[in-house]
């Protein structure tokens, strides 16, 4: 349903992102808060990719206009995680950096106005945040 508040719920107030954050910015903050709380036991690497589903096609939002979307393949990896092979992965070093990456990818989305909403995306967005932790004592790596 266009105009029902989905984007506001997920992103928050784009004019005042720190005053009225949505679910995504809150989750980004929580991820890095947990990393800070556990940094004495683990090292962490956070990365993400952003995919748009538009007209039944997958579009890599970090790859730019010349990327061949036919090379993107959705599959489950050996651990059972859903991954998009061929997507551009970017590393994030803080909640703010992760939000900046999200903003950058969002600028590449397809938008078209509707009668209800002047900036409707007319697409679906997938942002995958991948957290890899390494136990500092055992060296075990978990994604």
């Amino acid at each position: 349903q266009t105009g029902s508040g989905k984007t506001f719920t997920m992103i928050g107030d784009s004019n005042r992102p720190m005053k009225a954050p949505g679910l995504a910015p809150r989750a980004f903050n929580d991820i890095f808060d947990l990393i800070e709380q556990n940094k004495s036991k683990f090292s962490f690497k956070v990365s993400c990719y952003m995919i748009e589903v538009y007209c039944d096609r997958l579009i890599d939002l970090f790859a730019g206009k010349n990327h061949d979307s036919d090379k993107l393949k959705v599959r489950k990896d050996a651990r059972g995680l859903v991954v998009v092979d061929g997507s551009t992965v970017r590393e994030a070093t803080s909640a703010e950096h992760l939000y900046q990456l999200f903003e950058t990818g969002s600028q590449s989305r397809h938008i078209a106005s509707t009668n209800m909403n002047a900036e409707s995306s007319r697409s679906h967005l997938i942002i995958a945040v991948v957290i890899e932790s390494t136990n500092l004592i055992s060296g075990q790596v978990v994604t």
Side-chain angles (χ1 to χ4, degrees), residues 1-118:
Q1 176 68 36
T2 297
S4 64
K6 295 179 300 294
T7 299
F8 182 82
T9 299
M10 295 305 298
I11 309 308
D13 186 341
S14 60
N15 295 321
R16 302 176 313 136
M18 293 306 167
K19 298 282 186 198
L23 291 174
R26 290 172 194 246
F28 299 163
N29 286 327
D30 287 350
I31 288 167
F32 283 92
D33 286 347
L34 286 169
I35 287 172
E36 183 64 28
Q37 293 169 17
N38 290 284
K39 69 180 181 181
S40 65
K41 297 178 264 184
F42 298 91
S43 66
F44 293 91
K45 178 183 174 187
V46 178
S47 57
C48 67
Y49 58 88
M50 285 181 66
I51 305 296
E52 178 182 44
V53 181
Y54 181 73
C55 295
D56 294 326
R57 293 183 60 218
L58 298 176
I59 299 164
D60 185 336
L61 295 176
F62 288 153
K65 301 287 183 205
N66 297 327
H67 189 262
D68 183 3
S69 64
D70 291 335
K71 294 185 180 186
L72 297 175
K73 302 292 180 213
V74 179
R75 67 173 182 84
K76 282 190 177 181
D77 68 8
R79 298 167 303 218
L81 298 172
V82 176
V83 297
V84 180
D85 286 334
S87 61
T88 304
V89 178
R90 300 259 175 95
E91 190 169 343
T93 56
S94 67
E96 295 78 14
H97 186 207
L98 187 53
Y99 189 76
Q100 288 172 350
L101 290 170
F102 179 81
E103 289 275 299
T104 299
S106 294
Q107 291 173 4
S108 298
R109 291 188 74 187
H110 290 82
I111 60 169
S113 64
T114 67
N115 289 337
M116 295 277 293
N117 188 342

